[in-house]
Amino acid sequence: MTLSAEARKALTTAVTAGVKDCAAKLGEVTFSEWNVDGVTLSLDEAGPFADLLASIDNDHYGAHLSFPGGSFLVLCTSKSGYLITNAFTRAVPDRVESIPKREARSLGEVSNIMLNAMLGHFAKAWDRDIIISSPKTGIAKQRDHLAKALALYREEAPLAATFLAKLASRRLLSACLLLIFLDKDSVEKIAGR
């Protein structure tokens, strides 16, 4: 998909504002400040995550959530997943300690909370309400999480744009990647075409 410089700027501005709100929400639920270390737009499927697709090292926690016109994938290392989960559940550690797949479930809930902030920006751009799916979570190689997320766009509407955002908390010594996948109709609506 090709975009004019004006449309690219409008799209990037809307998504970057949403990512900043996601970082703020993540800070609220983990009681630690999170920064946005970069937001990259790619109109080429392999673009900003070609290296991630090639990586087979280390398992990562992943949470995949979809909405009409796109989806989100949140990825973090097992260490970051553990630290984020502990911060998120610190008020009730005894009640969650024995929950099976505690980190994956907690990260799914954290992802749901933080990504609703981004959906607010999309809903405003589209002038309609947007409902997000429940998170599909798990632990796997980054490559496997990404391949599963990309498969959705081969079956349904083609992928038109991908954003890769890097979020980091220096206090929590944690980081995560947020990938935002958008189909053509979503890109055009957000870009104001």
Side-chain angles (χ1 to χ4, degrees), residues 40-138:
T40 306
L41 166 65
S42 175
L43 301 176
D44 166 22
E45 184 176 295
F49 47 86
D51 290 341
L52 296 178
L53 279 171
S55 173
I56 59 169
D57 292 334
N58 301 324
D59 284 337
H60 282 67
Y61 287 104
H64 189 230
L65 301 91
S66 60
F67 58 93
S71 63
F72 300 113
L73 177 61
V74 179
L75 295 170
C76 61
T77 64
S78 55
K79 179 183 175 186
S80 287
Y82 174 79
L83 294 170
I84 292 167
T85 295
N86 283 347
F88 178 58
T89 62
R90 76 181 194 177
V92 291
D94 296 339
R95 288 191 283 181
V96 297
E97 191 62 39
S98 63
I99 294 175
K101 301 180 182 179
R102 179 180 78 105
E103 283 83 6
R105 288 182 181 190
S106 293
L107 288 169
E109 185 56 33
V110 167
S111 298
N112 190 31
I113 292 167
M114 74 179 215
L115 292 171
N116 271 297
M118 169 96 51
L119 284 179
H121 287 274
F122 292 169
K124 186 175 179 181
W126 296 340
D127 194 29
R128 66 178 172 89
D129 292 334
I130 302 172
I131 297 174
I132 194 168
S133 72
S134 59
K136 295 178 182 173
T137 61

Side-chain angles (χ1 to χ4, degrees), residues 6-22:
E6 204 173 283
R8 183 184 283 258
K9 182 179 178 184
L11 179 63
T12 302
T13 299
V15 171
T16 300
V19 170
K20 288 179 182 176
D21 284 352
C22 286

Side-chain angles (χ1 to χ4, degrees), residues 129-165:
D129 292 334
I130 302 172
I131 297 174
I132 194 168
S133 72
S134 59
K136 295 178 182 173
T137 61
I139 187 162
K141 307 296 184 208
Q142 283 182 313
R143 178 186 66 183
D144 297 333
H145 284 297
L146 289 165
K148 193 179 285 189
L150 290 172
L152 177 70
Y153 297 95
R154 293 189 184 98
E155 296 168 6
E156 297 178 8
L159 181 62
T162 302
F163 281 90
L164 173 64

